[in-house]
Amino acid sequence: MPKSEFYLRYYVGHKGKFGHEFLEFEFRPDGKLRYANNSNYKNDTMIRKEAYVHQSVLNELKRVIEDSEILQEDDSLWPTPDRVGRQELEIVMGDEHISFSTSKIGSLVDVNQSKDADGLRAFYYLVQDLKCLVFSLIGLHFKIKPI
Amino acid sequence: MADVLDIENQDEFEFDEDGDQGVAKLKEKAKKRKGRGFGGGHEAREEIKGYEAVDADAADDEPGPQRSVEGWILFVTGVNEEAQEEDIHDKFAEFGEIKNIHLNLDRRTGFLKGYALVEYETFKEAQAALEKLNESEILGQKISVDWCFVKGPKKNKRERRRR
C-alpha cells in the first residue's frame, strides 16, 4: 500500500515589459521545497532557492489544504488566465489530482463578482496561506529580510 | 571503481532527474483529476535549473536536521489559534536566545494559522527546546515541535546517468 501521495505547485505570473515575471513554488513528496521568483525589472535576475523540509511541515501543509476544502472545488467557472496574468495551483493528495488555472485575483471584489464566488474565495485564501508559509520558510532559512 | 560524484558542482547545477520522474509517476497514479490545467498549454512554465541551497555540512552525510543560514529553525504545530507571540516567546526563551519567531495568521479569520517557526543560534539550544517542548501545552492545547529543515538524500545515491 503506497504511503499517502502528496505534491503541491503554485505559480503566479505574467509576461510584460519586464519579461516573464513570476513566483513559483513546489513541494515534493520527499520534502523538497523549490522556490523561484523572477523579474527583469531593473535588470533583476531570478531567485532560485531550495531546501528539504521536515515531514511535520508537509503534514501541516496537508492540514491547511484539507481545511481549505480546495479539493472539492472546480475551476471550470473561474476567470480564465489573461494578459494581466495567470495563476496555477496543482495538488496531488492521495488519489486526487487537481490542476487549476485562473487569472490573477486583485482582491475580494474580484472574487465576489465572479461566477463561482465560494470556490474562488477558497482558492484566494488558500493561496495567501500557502504564500505565508513559503515566505516564512524561505525567508528564515536563507535569511532574506523583507524590504 | 569510478567515482561519479562531481564535487565541484554542489547543488548549483543539479538536475533532479529522479525527483522529476518521481513526481511524474505520482501524478499519473492519481485516479481522480479535475481542472483546466490538464491537457497542455503550459507555456507559462519555464524550465528552471540550478536552485541554490544552504550547503549541507560535507563531512556529515547522515540524514538529520539541516542548519539554516544563521541558525537552527524549529517547526511548531498545534498552536492554539488565540495564542500570542508572547506565549511562544515565554515558552521557548528558556532554552536559549530566540533569534526569530514567525507566527503566521490565517488570512481569512485573522486568528493564528496554527504553526510557528522558532529560530535559535545553536543546535544545542534548538535541540533542548525540541526535546522539552514537544508535546507540551500552550493555552491548554498540545503542541508538536520538530526540526523545520532536514538534509536531503545522500549525494552518492544520485549518480549522473547517461541516457
Side-chain angles (χ1 to χ4, degrees), chain B residues 22 37 47 65:
Chain B
E47 219 183 304

Side-chain angles (χ1 to χ4, degrees), chain B residues 6 12 15 22 60 92-93 121 123 149 151:
Chain B
D6 183 351
E12 271 276 53
F15 291 74
D60 184 4
F92 283 79
E121 192 173 331
F123 175 81
F149 298 98
K151 293 191 181 139

Side-chain angles (χ1 to χ4, degrees), chain A residues 98-126:
Chain A
I98 59 166
S99 180
F100 295 160
S101 16
T102 188
S103 59
K104 285 198 185 182
I105 301 173
S107 72
L108 276 174
V109 174
D110 299 333
V111 169
N112 292 333
Q113 288 176 348
S114 73
K115 290 184 206 151
D116 175 20
D118 289 342
L120 201 57
R121 197 175 300 115
F123 175 83
Y124 176 75
Y125 283 119
L126 173 61

Side-chain angles (χ1 to χ4, degrees), chain A residues 20 28 48 71 73 101, chain B residues 20 34 36 46 49 68:
Chain A
H20 183 189
R28 298 184 157 199
R48 291 156 295 167
L71 294 171
E73 303 299 338
S101 16
Chain B
D20 288 343
K34 226 184 340 175
R36 295 192 292 228
E46 287 191 10
K49 300 195 171 59
S68 299

Side-chain angles (χ1 to χ4, degrees), chain A residues 37-75:
Chain A
N37 195 332
N38 187 48
S39 172
N40 295 334
Y41 179 68
K42 294 191 179 174
N43 296 314
D44 209 3
T45 55
M46 195 184 318
I47 295 169
R48 291 156 295 167
K49 302 286 184 194
E50 71 178 15
Y52 282 90
V53 298
H54 189 271
Q55 186 63 42
S56 61
V57 178
L58 290 181
N59 291 343
E60 182 68 2
L61 185 57
K62 287 187 208 178
R63 183 190 71 85
V64 168
I65 293 167
E66 278 165 0
D67 283 356
S68 73
E69 300 190 336
I70 195 70
L71 294 171
Q72 276 120 302
E73 303 299 338
D74 195 306
D75 64 353

